[in-house]
Amino acid sequence: MRIFNFSAGPAVLPGNVLEQVRDELLDWHGRGMSIMEMSHRGKDFTGVIDEAEADLRTLMGIPSNYKVLFLQGGATQQFAQIPMNLLDGRSADYIVTGSWSKKAYKEALRFGAVRLAGSAEADGFARVPTAGELKLDPQAAYLHVCTNETIHGVEMFDLPVAPEGVPLVADMSSHILSRPMDVSRYGLIYAGAQKNIGPAGLVIVIVREDLLCKASAITPSVMNYATMAENGSMLNTPPTFGIYLAGLVFKDLIAQGGLEAVERANVAKAQLVYDAIEASGGFYRNPVQGPFRSRMNVPFTLANPELDAAFLAEAAERQLSGLKGHKSVGGMRASIYNAMTVDGVRALVDLMQDFAARKA
Ligand SMILES: *Cc1c(COP(=O)(O)O)cnc(C)c1O
């Protein structure tokens, strides 16, 4: 039986996709073997990766002057790979809006004179810094943002305006494919798969072609975007099973009507949870200011933290899992990615209302 999984990542995947994976697991398309057991150079798998890329291009409207790379090492590896590939002996600007962009900034400091262009840490990451608060370097090699902070529940709906010629680099790990994004506004987008795409171990990088010539000479080949692009993400063996599964998720999203339809569903789901928080009279609290509240990750605290354990125990009884908040912020966190159904969100809201009515 499948329960409602609110884990921040690895996270829930669409049940119908997992059923298809199960049905195809031992014998993929009559080949008498699993997709996992096939050569990555064979026609079958190259068909799978080509279709996954084509479907992702369709879904996101990726312009033809961007490469799509299917890489390994997760988003954390990109924290290092980005400066290796893009810093080009210069400086880069980082905006810190939560734990993940802070980690990206700290990692980049190992590679050069990277600048903190703005931070909302003094406000407890309750908002995104305003344009006036940013100190942007017009000579920066790039401007890095995390457009959805998975731990602090902060989502960027308005992008900062980078100085002319400074490419925007975005960690979209926890909200890629949750709504339409204008890819042409970015120089590079990256996202670990295990939040909204597929299994951990795969990371997707979408990079504008003119940025592929700036890697420092010591960049290892498997970490060099240009080398990986020249080799169709197959300089070495790619994470084949993850790419296959991601491809099925892309097809599922297209079948749902594309990212406009996905966004409508996500807006409705997030509204249910935030409404429950607001209507609780302070029993539950989300610290993020309204315009920056994430549709994917909703952290909330109980006014009385002594009730946390009871809340989680009742959640478990109702088959709701993964609600314990990140250790750095405490309380609860409901991650309501694309694959979380509205039934799951309603079950959570029922628990929240019922629990508050009894314990308030
Ligand atoms: C999960 C996450 C990461 C880290 O991903 P790993 O695959 O563990 O490296 C980085 N950034 C964001 C926004 C995330 O949500």
Side-chain angles (χ1 to χ4, degrees):
M1 195 200 72
R2 304 241 326 141
I3 65 173
F4 293 122
N5 176 10
F6 292 91
S7 168
V12 59
L13 286 166
N16 56 319
V17 167
L18 292 179
E19 281 167 12
Q20 184 177 348
V21 170
R22 178 195 60 199
D23 293 347
E24 296 180 341
L25 195 61
L26 294 179
D27 178 8
W28 183 85
H29 292 207
R31 302 300 193 275
M33 64 174 82
S34 165
I35 193 84
M36 274 185 272
E37 301 167 290
M38 286 179 194
S39 165
H40 57 295
R41 310 266 179 213
K43 257 205 186 85
D44 284 331
F45 185 74
T46 51
V48 165
I49 193 171
D50 289 349
E51 231 175 279
E53 177 177 340
D55 286 339
L56 184 63
R57 284 185 179 276
T58 302
L59 268 175
M60 295 185 74
I62 301 174
S64 58
N65 63 326
Y66 285 74
K67 295 285 188 203
V68 174
L69 306 177
F70 295 95
L71 306 179
Q72 307 186 51
T76 303
Q77 185 166 301
Q78 294 306 313
F79 295 168
Q81 225 167 311
I82 286 162
M84 279 195 257
N85 279 273
L86 301 186
L87 208 47
D88 200 16
R90 290 147 72 192
S91 173
D93 279 355
Y94 279 71
I95 301 177
V96 170
T97 49
S99 298
W100 287 115
S101 49
K102 189 170 178 183
K103 282 191 184 184
Y105 166 62
K106 287 200 161 156
E107 186 73 353
L109 282 170
R110 303 159 70 94
F111 296 89
V114 165
R115 296 173 66 249
L116 186 63
S119 170
E121 190 161 14
D123 284 326
F125 296 126
R127 63 188 183 89
V128 170
T130 62
E133 289 168 328
L134 300 178
K135 298 201 168 49
L136 300 176
D137 173 7
Q139 306 298 327
Y142 59 88
L143 171 61
H144 181 281
V145 293
C146 175
T147 46
N148 188 67
E149 289 282 358
T150 320
I151 292 172
H152 289 90
V154 177
E155 185 164 357
M156 240 181 224
F157 293 97
D158 293 311
L159 290 175
V161 180
E164 183 76 27
V166 176
L168 197 57
V169 170
D171 179 356
M172 290 193 184
S173 294
S174 51
H175 77 159
I176 191 167
L177 302 177
S178 68
R179 56 180 163 96
M181 311 272 188
D182 182 357
V183 175
S184 72
R185 296 190 62 183
Y186 301 86
L188 186 147
I189 291 168
Y190 65 105
Q194 72 272 23
K195 281 48 183 264
N196 236 354
I197 295 176
L202 169 68
V203 58
I204 290 180
V205 172
I206 302 166
V207 55
R208 215 174 57 211
E209 283 168 355
D210 61 281
L211 298 174
L212 289 175
C213 58
K214 301 176 188 296
S216 87
I218 60 148
T219 305
S221 313
V222 282
M223 296 189 182
N224 186 310
Y225 297 140
T227 311
M228 284 311 243
E230 278 158 27
N231 288 277
S233 305
M234 292 208 225
L235 177 75
N236 65 331
T237 316
T240 54
F241 186 70
I243 294 167
Y244 152 77
L245 213 157
L248 296 182
V249 169
F250 301 156
K251 286 205 186 303
D252 185 57
L253 296 176
I254 290 171
Q256 284 176 39
L259 299 189
E260 285 86 3
V262 171
E263 177 174 34
R264 280 195 294 278
N266 285 329
V267 167
K269 288 186 297 180
Q271 192 73 49
L272 287 171
V273 183
Y274 286 113
D275 282 353
I277 292 169
E278 292 310 313
S280 73
F283 189 86
Y284 304 110
R285 191 173 166 275
N286 169 284
V288 181
Q289 294 176 16
F292 312 107
R293 288 181 164 180
S294 169
R295 293 176 186 157
M296 294 285 105
N297 308 97
V298 187
F300 61 93
T301 50
L302 277 63
N304 176 3
E306 281 168 18
L307 292 174
D308 283 3
F311 183 89
L312 289 167
E314 289 198 25
E317 273 168 33
R318 295 181 186 216
Q319 313 291 330
L320 312 178
S321 89
L323 286 165
K324 192 172 170 33
H326 191 271
K327 57 186 185 301
S328 64
V329 293
M332 308 296 149
R333 172 172 49 169
S335 293
I336 48 176
Y337 296 117
N338 287 349
M340 172 53 66
T341 60
V342 71
D343 285 346
V345 173
R346 289 215 179 91
L348 169 63
V349 166
D350 283 348
L351 165 67
M352 290 170 72
Q353 292 171 339
D354 190 44
F355 187 85
R358 277 181 286 112
K359 309 277 185 180

